[in-house]
Structure formats: C-alpha cells, structure tokens
Amino acid sequence: MKHKTPAQKLADKIYFRRLTVFGLMFLSTILATLKWITVMPTDSVLFTKIVLIGLFFLTFAWISLFFWSSLFGFFDLWFKRPVPGIKWPGDSTSVSGKTAILMPVYNEDSSSVFANLAAIAEDLKNQGAAEYFDIFVLSDSTNPQCWVEEEKIWLAARRLISPEIGLYYRRRAKNTARKSGNIEDFCRKWGSAYDFMVVLDADSLMSGKTIVQMVKLMEVNPGAGIIQAPPMMINSHSLFARMQQFAGRVYGPIVSSGLAYWQVGDSNYWGHNAIIRVKAFMQCCSLPVLPGHAPFGGHILSHDFVEAALIRRGGWSAWLLPQLRGSYEECPPTMIDFAARDRRWCQGNLQHIKVLLSKHLHPVSRVHFIIGIMSYLSSPIWLSFLLTGLLIALGRWVFPPIYFPEVRTLFPTWPIFDKIGTISLFVLSMAMLIMPKFMGMIIYKRQNPQMSGTLKSVLCEILVSALQAPVMMMFQSKFVLDILTGHAVSWNTQNRGDNGTSWREALRRHFGHTFLGIATTVIVALYAKELFWWMLPITTGLMLSVPLSVLTSRVTTGRKALEHNFFVIPEEKKIPPLVNRQKYFEKLLQAEKTPEKGVVLLIGNPALLALHRLMLPVNGPAPEFDKHVLEAAQIKLENYVNHHIRPEFSKDEEIALLYQPDILTRTSVSLFL
C-alpha cells in the first residue's frame, strides 16, 4: 500500500472538513425543505408553492451554513485544535525581513490615527523589533483642513515615536480607486523596499507582539500570501456599540474559528489587521476596473475579497488564524451609522457578481464571493418570503376557500395547514440561529471564568438583536434595490465618534419602518389573524425602530448598562497596556490642535508652512483649478491679512491655495511684518 505524503494527508483532511460542513448544510437544508413542502397550505397555487419553496431553501441554507460552521468552530476552540497546515514559529525564531505598516486615511481624526500608530510603534520597540518596521500614513483626505491638520499632527507624532521606526506621511492629489488604489500607489513607489506590509484601518490598533508574530509566521511559511488576525472591538461607549462589542467578544471567536475550520489555507481577507507578502500582492493584485458604470462597474469597492482571491489564484495561501490576539478595531456608534457602512459594503459585495465568474479562481474563493453576496441578498429573500406568506393569507380573505367545488364530492375539500409542522420548522430555524451564541458564551466563560453577568447580557443582546433584525432587513433590502436600480453610493468618512442619533434624525430615517410596522400589524389583525403572533416579533421591531435607534445610540444608556454589569468584556475590567498608551498619546496629540485650521493655520505657523512646502512634491503634481477659483481665494486671503476678516474659503479655493506655496509664503511673511 502506497503511503501518503504529509501534503496529501493535509489535502485529504481539508477535503473532509469542507465535505462535512457543506454536506451537513445541504443535507439539513434538503430535509427542512422537504418538511416545508409537507406543511404548506394545500390550497396554494403551484406558482406560489414554487416561490415559497425556493425562498425557504435559500433562507434555511444561509442559516444552516452559519450553524454548522459555528459548531465545528466551537469544537476546535473547546479542544484547542490549531488550524492545520501552517507552521508556527518557535521561540528562537527571529525577525529578519523589513515590514511596512500602512494606515490609509480619509478625512479622519488625525490625533486618534497617529495615537494608534504611536502606541503600535512603542509596543514594537518594547518587543525589540523597532528596526524592522516603518510606518506609513497614506492620506486620501479631500478636506483641506484635515490635510493641514494631518501634517501638523504627523510632525508632533514623529517626536513621540522612537527614531528607530520611520513614520512617513504622504497625501495623494487624486484618490483614484480609494483604499485599494492607495495601497497600490504605495506598492508602486516603495513596495520593493519591503518584504511584508501590515494593512490597517483608521481605527485599527495592534499589539507589537501580534505584529511580530505575524511577521515570523510569514517568514517560516514562505508560501503564505496573507495572514488575517481577527480584530476585536474596543472603545465602545454607546449602547449600540457596546452590544456589538460584547457580541464580537463572545460570539466572534467561534465564528472566526468556524470559518478557519473549513477555509484552512484558502481563507479570505477583511481589508485590515492583516499582513500581506508584498511580492505576492505586487504580482497578483493589480485590480481591474469593471466594465460599465457604478454601482456594478468602475473601481472595485470591496477590494479585500478580490485581492485574497487573486493572491490565491497566484498560488499563494491565505490564512485566517483565530489564535492571533491583540488585534483591535472600533464599532460604529449607532444603528444608522452601522447601516451607512453596510450600504458601502453591500454595493461592494454585489459588485462581486461580475468577479465571481473570473477565470482560474480557486473554488473556495468563489464560495467567499457567494457568501458575501448572500449576506446582503438574504435580507430581500427573507422579506420576500414573509411578504409571500402574508399575501397568501390575505388572499384567503379576498378569495375565501371553496369547500364544496362544482364537481360533486362525498366530503368537502378542506385546505390543510400543518400548524405543528410549521412551528417545528420555526423553532428549528431559531435554534440554529441562537445556539451558536450560547456556544460562544460557553467558550467565553471557560476562558474568562472571572466575568459575571454574561448570561443576562447574552439574553438581553438576543432580545435587542431580534428587535433590530427587521429594521436591518429593511435597510439592506432597500440597499439591494437601490443598487439593482443603478444608484451608486458615495464614499463618505465613517463616523467614529460618540454622537448619538437625534429624535428628528431617527424619525426621518425610520419613519417608513415605523409606518410599515403599524400598517402590517393592523392589516394582519383585521384580515389574517392566524399570522398575528407569527408576525409580531417582526412588526414590533419595526414599530419601535425610532426609540430603539435613539436610545441605543446614547452614551448615557451605554454607561447605565456598564454600571449594571451588562455587556462588559474582560478588556474593560483590565485594560490592555496598549490601549492605555493609545489613550495617553491621543491626549497629547489632541493638545496640539488649535482653533485655526487649513490655510490660516499654515500662514500663522512658519515651521508648519516650511514642512508643507517640502511635502508637496511627494504628493504628486497639483490638480488643475479654474483661475477664478484661485483669484477669489487670494482676495479672501488678502482681506484676512489686511483687514482681519476671517476667510470663509470654499473647499476648492482652500485646496487651490494649499498648492500655491509661494503665495502662502509671501502672505505668511507679510503677516509677521
């Protein structure tokens, strides 16, 4: 008998894992669908039955994949089984390659961004690895005042960071292709000087130990193209963000472990808190511009999935490693902010419909695209399923069933509806949705036995999530409809503050949800009483959407939850030193801010103006401006110098002046004469 090589054994193991997860998913979906066929009302027309069967199949398949993946993730965490196929570095492994840490930013709070980087740099120095890293802030900021502030805070942060670590800053004149174009621009200009790059988001924070370990993993696994560290949410203050943070801390590990169970070396990339082999990225990840117009055409929004697929197509492996800790991010503070971020992700994921059929992609990469697409299509599918059932019930009121047809029969024709069977399927679906949360809680309590209040927090989170679910269903269904009808999303800065939702804003954004909830409840109560209790969990969430959105957005309600030991995570009981240092650096950098902004700040600060002049060539050629824009800006600037009239520049006027160093220098000199 021929003995299998280790590579063949690993391939068999991976095949078995995928066959098990997806086999169980399809088997349970087929069995549930067959049961659904038997419990459907017998008087439904054939077309309606086919529609209901198809919608049920898709909805249950989505639930089933989540359940089985989480179950195997639970077992891996319980038995502490590592992801197979990747070699972990030993204690004696040293860092040898050079790594760039990239922080792309777009009109962000510069003090928070640079504080994160200062904390990372200090932690790397404490690891004795500072000489192997450089940090790059890659700005795509279009707000001229953010641009000047970034330069000022960069200079202040440079003084806080060890000289062993380079801290570099550049701003692109044109933010072509957004974040993916920003990273590509870095690789074209400086990528050849680095072996690896750690890609961050503006709210990312990673410990030096984790980053060093990721570099070592890359070095001892020369075939690895991407290694993703699952980020954990921190610094949440509003009730909505605190619940998301708690859910991510408790349920997140079994989700990521479940994904790693069947993905193994064919994992996805989430766009941040990951390390990438620069050689692999430069060889494989020149992203295409999709044919046609937005939302489906143009530059790819959700570039991370595509980059992972291209790297995998190039023969490199991609890994999601749940064992990597010390990786942090922040959460949108309100339900409306969360939905706004979801809108961008929705368009990006639906764009992948065009990428899905690209040649030579790994089958698992195609599965990633399908999962991403379905994560948003599942909402309109669920909504269609509910509406179809409701229309059938209302149809019985409009067209009552005929018990005695024209053809004479001995007995009346009674429509059959298996109520017990329907309830059983509903209970099964809810159990498959909720059980992973309790599995996550079991692992969480095993790892953090000192934490109290976990069960009540989980139960409360399940209740609030159930109320929020129909609201998010409506948001996402509208997003999908907007995209399918050709409405593209604009690229806006994400709200990372703690500004709560006002009652006016909530009423404006949720009026349709509230009206739909009330109207549906009244119609069902009057004309489809048998569905009243079935629909109540959905209609209640819609009817309460306004107060739910407002109250969960408040920092005060978040603090009340904290006082009563709801949604508390271990990192709040014992704050990681890295997070404390970030807060310390942010306080120092906040003190560097002044009331003056933009051009006014520059001309009043000769040192900063000199720095700005030096930085302009790095930014690339200046964009062209209409001469009338520059003339109007100069007039306002002269009135400021001569008559102390504070200028109110338009965005174009201020940017035009920022590209005129000679005008700024002459104005600055005259200001100090």
Side-chain angles (χ1 to χ4, degrees):
M1 183 177 177
K2 185 178 178 181
H3 292 287
K4 293 184 177 181
T5 64
Q8 290 172 327
K9 291 180 180 178
L10 176 62
D12 288 346
K13 188 173 187 177
I14 295 171
Y15 177 78
F16 174 77
R17 286 180 169 216
R18 290 171 183 170
L19 182 64
T20 303
V21 172
F22 287 94
L24 287 170
M25 181 199 80
F26 280 113
L27 179 61
S28 54
T29 302
I30 292 296
L31 292 175
T33 303
L34 291 174
K35 179 63 178 176
W36 171 245
I37 292 172
T38 66
V39 305
M40 290 173 61
T42 56
D43 62 335
S44 299
V45 298
L46 180 61
F47 175 76
T48 305
K49 287 183 178 180
I50 293 172
V51 170
L52 279 174
I53 291 168
L55 293 172
F56 178 87
F57 181 90
L58 292 172
T59 303
F60 196 89
W62 184 246
I63 294 171
S64 183
L65 177 59
F66 168 70
F67 171 78
W68 291 113
S69 180
S70 299
L71 181 64
F72 286 102
F74 170 80
F75 287 136
D76 268 4
L77 288 174
W78 184 264
F79 295 109
K80 300 180 181 178
R81 295 189 294 230
V83 177
I86 190 164
K87 181 181 178 182
W88 286 84
D91 295 336
S92 60
T93 304
S94 59
V95 175
S96 58
K98 191 76 172 176
T99 300
I101 298 174
L102 309 183
M103 176 76 87
V105 296
Y106 177 76
N107 299 329
E108 302 285 352
D109 177 10
S110 54
S111 59
S112 175
V113 166
F114 283 98
N116 286 8
L117 296 175
I120 291 172
E122 183 181 75
D123 220 29
L124 287 170
K125 179 176 171 57
N126 294 339
Q127 292 292 317
E131 62 185 293
Y132 299 104
F133 294 89
D134 286 326
I135 298 174
F136 289 80
V137 177
L138 308 176
S139 175
D140 262 353
S141 295
T142 55
N143 183 325
Q145 296 187 354
C146 284
W147 173 11
V148 174
E149 186 176 271
E150 286 168 0
E151 292 180 340
K152 187 176 192 298
I153 301 300
W154 168 74
L155 189 61
R158 177 63 275 179
R159 293 192 290 265
L160 298 175
I161 291 177
S162 168
E164 296 175 69
I165 298 181
L167 176 62
Y168 303 102
Y169 169 86
R170 78 97 175 88
R171 174 189 172 273
R172 285 199 299 171
K174 295 181 179 179
N175 48 19
T176 305
R178 303 177 177 87
K179 183 178 177 179
S180 63
N182 206 350
I183 302 294
E184 285 187 32
D185 179 75
F186 166 82
C187 288
R188 282 194 299 268
K189 293 176 179 176
W190 301 287
S192 59
Y194 296 93
D195 299 288
F196 316 112
M197 57 183 182
V198 175
V199 181
L200 305 176
D201 260 358
D203 59 353
S204 295
L205 186 63
M206 295 187 75
S207 72
K209 181 179 179 181
T210 301
I211 293 174
V212 169
Q213 188 177 28
M214 291 168 75
V215 172
K216 290 179 179 179
L217 280 163
M218 277 289 190
E219 291 182 339
V220 300
N221 294 276
I226 298 176
I227 296 176
Q228 175 73 61
M232 182 180 69
M233 284 177 274
I234 56 168
N235 294 333
S236 296
H237 304 293
S238 70
L239 181 60
F240 178 85
R242 289 191 59 78
M243 287 190 296
Q244 294 293 319
Q245 175 180 277
F246 175 81
R249 184 66 174 85
V250 178
Y251 320 142
I254 71 161
V255 173
S256 58
S257 185
L259 292 173
Y261 175 83
W262 59 266
Q263 292 175 2
V264 195
D266 305 314
S267 294
N268 214 342
Y269 164 47
W270 299 343
H272 57 94
N273 293 44
I275 188 168
I276 302 176
R277 193 177 300 273
V278 175
K279 178 182 177 181
F281 189 89
M282 293 178 69
Q283 282 180 351
C284 306
C285 293
S286 180
L287 296 183
V289 178
L290 299 177
H293 299 289
F296 287 101
H299 293 288
I300 296 173
L301 285 182
S302 292
H303 56 90
D304 40 13
F305 281 38
V306 181
E307 287 161 350
L310 293 176
I311 281 180
R312 189 65 194 90
R313 186 174 72 173
W316 304 90
S317 58
W319 299 87
L320 168 62
L321 298 180
Q323 296 90 340
L324 292 172
R325 303 298 175 90
S327 172
Y328 306 103
E329 64 175 346
E330 294 182 6
C331 175
T334 73
M335 185 159 48
I336 290 175
D337 289 317
F338 189 89
R341 186 183 69 175
D342 236 22
R343 175 62 177 84
R344 296 191 295 273
W345 288 359
C346 180
Q347 181 174 324
N349 282 11
L350 293 187
Q351 265 188 326
H352 294 162
I353 294 172
K354 283 193 170 184
V355 184
L356 182 60
L357 299 178
S358 300
K359 295 180 180 179
H360 311 304
L361 292 181
H362 192 282
V364 176
S365 296
R366 299 189 198 276
V367 171
H368 291 320
F369 288 134
I370 292 171
I371 290 175
I373 293 165
M374 278 300 300
S375 65
Y376 290 96
L377 290 184
S378 59
S379 285
I381 289 171
W382 180 29
L383 178 61
S384 300
F385 182 76
L386 294 172
L387 289 177
T388 304
L390 180 59
L391 289 174
I392 290 173
L394 293 176
R396 287 202 185 89
W397 179 78
V398 178
F399 303 104
I402 300 173
Y403 302 114
F404 297 95
E406 293 180 3
V407 179
R408 294 181 178 274
T409 58
L410 184 61
F411 300 103
T413 304
W414 298 107
I416 299 173
F417 175 67
D418 186 350
K419 187 175 182 180
I420 301 300
T422 305
I423 293 173
S424 300
L425 282 175
F426 175 77
V427 171
L428 176 63
S429 301
M430 291 300 102
M432 294 179 80
L433 281 172
I434 294 173
M435 277 181 63
K437 298 193 175 193
F438 287 102
M439 290 189 288
M441 185 187 73
I442 291 169
I443 297 294
Y444 174 80
K445 285 296 291 180
R446 187 189 192 196
Q447 295 174 346
N448 304 279
Q450 78 283 2
M451 296 301 295
S452 60
T454 304
L455 179 59
K456 69 177 185 181
S457 297
V458 167
L459 294 174
C460 187
E461 190 277 333
I462 290 173
L463 174 62
V464 178
S465 294
L467 292 173
Q468 291 174 338
V471 181
M472 295 308 300
M473 174 190 69
M474 296 306 301
F475 268 132
Q476 291 181 350
S477 297
K478 183 179 184 302
F479 298 159
V480 172
L481 180 62
D482 286 346
I483 292 164
L484 293 178
T485 53
H487 295 85
V489 67
S490 58
W491 189 31
N492 298 317
T493 306
Q494 182 174 311
N495 179 21
R496 305 187 195 277
D498 289 317
N499 299 322
T501 303
S502 67
W503 286 97
R504 181 189 294 273
E505 175 68 5
L507 187 60
R508 185 179 72 84
R509 296 298 297 271
H510 297 293
F511 176 80
H513 303 151
T514 306
F515 176 79
L516 180 63
I518 294 171
T520 304
T521 302
V522 171
I523 291 171
V524 170
L526 292 176
Y527 306 115
K529 294 182 177 64
E530 68 275 15
L531 290 183
F532 182 81
W533 295 107
W534 292 93
M535 297 293 293
L536 195 59
I538 296 163
T539 55
T540 300
L542 293 172
M543 289 187 289
L544 295 178
S545 57
V546 171
L548 189 68
S549 185
V550 171
L551 295 176
T552 58
S553 76
R554 296 285 190 258
V555 173
T556 50
T557 53
R559 288 177 185 153
K560 285 290 183 183
L562 181 62
E563 290 172 6
H564 291 85
N565 203 30
F566 278 93
F567 313 121
V568 183
I569 62 173
E571 288 71 19
E572 291 176 303
K573 293 286 188 179
K574 185 180 180 181
I575 300 176
L578 177 71
V579 177
N580 277 328
R581 293 302 291 171
Q582 187 276 339
K583 291 178 179 178
Y584 168 75
F585 286 125
E586 186 171 10
K587 187 176 181 180
L588 292 180
L589 294 175
Q590 282 281 2
E592 294 286 334
K593 292 185 178 181
T594 59
E596 292 78 21
K597 305 289 182 184
V599 167
V600 174
L601 173 60
L602 271 186
I603 61 176
N605 189 327
L608 185 59
L609 178 56
L611 172 67
H612 179 76
R613 292 192 63 135
L614 289 172
M615 297 290 289
L616 282 178
V618 181
N619 295 336
E624 294 184 3
F625 292 95
D626 189 297
K627 66 176 183 178
H628 299 298
V629 171
L630 186 57
E631 288 172 357
Q634 285 184 269
I635 292 172
K636 293 178 182 179
L637 194 59
E638 290 170 3
N639 286 334
Y640 173 67
V641 173
N642 298 325
H643 306 293
H644 306 291
I645 300 174
R646 180 166 289 276
E648 294 183 3
F649 298 113
S650 70
K651 176 183 170 182
D652 285 345
E653 289 170 352
E654 195 154 13
I655 291 180
L657 281 176
L658 290 175
Y659 278 104
Q660 302 296 324
D662 292 338
I663 293 176
L664 293 174
T665 300
R666 287 197 302 270
T667 306
S668 179
V669 170
S670 64
L671 195 65
F672 284 92
L673 289 178

